[in-house]
Amino acid sequence: MNKSRTSVNGFFETLGIWFAKFPPLPKAVRLFIIKIMPFIAIAFGLMGILSSLDDFGGTRLYGYGQDFFITFFSLAASLLLLFAIPGLKERKIRGWKLLFWSEVINLLLEIVAVYQSSILLALIGAIICFYLLFQIRPYYK
């Protein structure tokens, strides 16, 4: 088996064990989240793309390098949301993983762009998002 694939799966398993210590959401709430998740991905994916494209218009590659890369990775996170939609509708694990990686990118962006927000708020938001993601993970195969 591919070692990098094994370590990524181990990473997911480790996070899953950690988030399993949190109180579980009722099944009806988890099913509701699963039902609306494709629509949330569409909304935030499109808003992120439009915002990133607008930012590219005002961002110069040279002189404002950090802004350019923040915008680039923000666009990547938004695209991951849109790419996740088919998998989310079919309850495929690849859709769930794309949501996960989009959130990882967003957390890293919040940490890098500390001048724009609070790291504490970014961490709290990420913990909530990861908690919700790991609550619904068992429903994706």
Side-chain angles (χ1 to χ4, degrees):
M1 182 175 245
N2 186 340
K3 186 175 181 174
S4 65
R5 178 174 241 171
T6 304
S7 38
V8 169
N9 288 335
F11 175 66
F12 286 133
E13 288 176 25
T14 302
L15 283 176
I17 291 168
W18 192 76
F19 279 103
K21 296 176 183 180
F22 286 67
L25 290 172
K27 184 176 182 177
V29 173
R30 287 181 277 159
L31 292 174
F32 176 73
I33 292 170
I34 290 167
K35 185 176 182 178
I36 65 168
M37 193 55 72
F39 302 106
I40 292 172
I42 290 170
F44 282 97
L46 289 176
M47 285 189 301
I49 287 172
L50 293 175
S51 175
S52 296
L53 292 176
D54 184 51
D55 288 347
F56 272 127
T59 302
R60 296 184 303 166
L61 178 57
Y62 303 104
Y64 298 104
Q66 183 180 11
D67 289 341
F68 175 80
F69 287 107
I70 288 171
T71 302
F72 176 79
F73 283 105
S74 179
L75 178 62
S78 299
L79 287 171
L80 286 177
L81 288 175
L82 293 180
F83 293 152
I85 294 166
L88 294 174
K89 287 181 177 179
E90 298 171 11
R91 290 194 188 179
K92 300 285 185 185
I93 194 69
R94 72 177 182 274
W96 182 91
K97 286 181 179 180
L98 289 172
L99 286 179
F100 176 86
W101 290 116
S102 176
E103 183 55 32
V104 167
I105 291 171
N106 281 321
L107 173 61
L108 294 174
L109 286 173
E110 288 295 326
I111 291 170
V112 169
V114 107
Y115 64 90
Q116 295 178 353
S117 65
S118 162
I119 289 180
L120 180 61
L121 289 177
L123 290 174
I124 291 170
I127 289 170
I128 291 169
C129 286
F130 288 130
Y131 167 72
L132 294 173
L133 281 172
F134 279 95
Q135 287 290 302
I136 63 173
R137 185 173 186 228
Y139 295 91
Y140 294 88
K141 302 291 177 203

